[in-house]
Amino acid sequence: MKKMMMITCMVLLGMLVSRVNAEEFVIKDYTFTWHVARTIVGGTTMDIQKTPDALVVIFGRTSLPLSALTISPVQANAVGELLKKTEEYYQSQKKSDDPSSSDTLTSHNCAVNFSSKQGRDFKVRVKKNEVFGSVVLMEKDEAIEIAKYLRQAEQMASFADKRVRP
């Protein structure tokens, strides 16, 4: 009799547990990060990150403090368009008689600065138009390489938004 009672309890317990199914689970908090690119030259990365509140592009060196920007996909595209002009500014500054050259372009609340000493020690800086904040510092080849990915940020973000549906 005890065996029968034990088996009956186990069966009833099994029936109650089996009523729980996947439809009752809801993901309310999540962070999805798509590691899109990592440059070979200096290690600048570009990630698409989706959370319940936002869809953003994280661009820079995330391993170093204040060396990465969190920007919208539209801003990332705009920065990519500005970085596309890196070679042009490098050649211009290389030919310049000025001992120290600096050119700044702005778009969508972001600034890209190209600076060098007659083409030597050429650096590219990207930051938001804020008094304080992160700055992404790159060399010429690194800026040219990451620009290709940044110009596709809107399409990549749209793809991630459609595919990641918690």
Side-chain angles (χ1 to χ4, degrees):
M1 187 67 156
K2 285 184 180 181
K3 262 189 173 177
M4 188 59 107
M5 190 70 127
M6 180 75 137
I7 292 173
T8 306
C9 286
M10 294 296 274
V11 170
L12 288 173
L13 183 62
M15 288 171 47
L16 290 174
V17 171
S18 66
R19 290 182 135 182
V20 176
N21 56 33
E23 293 173 354
E24 293 176 19
F25 297 115
V26 177
I27 298 173
K28 294 180 183 175
D29 188 25
Y30 62 91
T31 300
F32 171 78
T33 303
W34 176 15
H35 302 288
V36 175
R38 179 178 183 88
T39 61
I40 297 168
V41 178
T44 297
T45 62
M46 178 184 142
D47 299 336
I48 305 290
Q49 189 173 79
K50 181 177 177 175
T51 64
D53 302 325
L55 180 64
V56 295
V57 175
I58 300 171
F59 151 67
R61 290 189 178 109
T62 54
S63 60
L64 299 173
L66 297 174
S67 296
L69 294 175
T70 300
I71 55 180
S72 72
V74 172
Q75 288 174 308
N77 187 42
V79 169
E81 289 298 325
L82 297 177
L83 290 176
K84 190 169 131 179
K85 300 173 184 180
T86 300
E87 183 66 34
E88 175 186 327
Y89 279 92
Y90 171 74
Q91 293 300 330
S92 171
Q93 290 181 8
K94 188 175 176 182
K95 295 174 188 173
S96 174
D97 293 332
D98 224 357
S100 184
S101 301
S102 180
D103 296 293
T104 302
L105 304 173
T106 59
S107 180
H108 287 83
N109 198 32
C110 292
V112 176
N113 176 268
F114 305 98
S115 63
S116 72
K117 295 175 176 94
Q118 292 179 326
R120 293 184 319 275
D121 196 30
F122 186 82
K123 297 288 182 204
V124 180
R125 290 172 184 79
V126 180
K127 65 179 256 142
K128 288 184 182 179
N129 290 337
E130 300 171 344
V131 177
F132 298 105
S134 300
V135 176
V136 179
L137 181 63
M138 299 174 285
E139 295 178 16
K140 177 181 74 98
D141 294 337
E142 194 175 2
I144 292 169
E145 186 178 340
I146 203 71
K148 295 181 251 179
Y149 297 102
L150 288 170
R151 289 194 318 268
Q152 298 174 12
E154 287 183 276
Q155 293 90 354
M156 290 178 182
S158 176
F159 174 77
D161 194 36
K162 288 176 188 169
R163 298 288 266 173
V164 179
R165 291 281 177 199

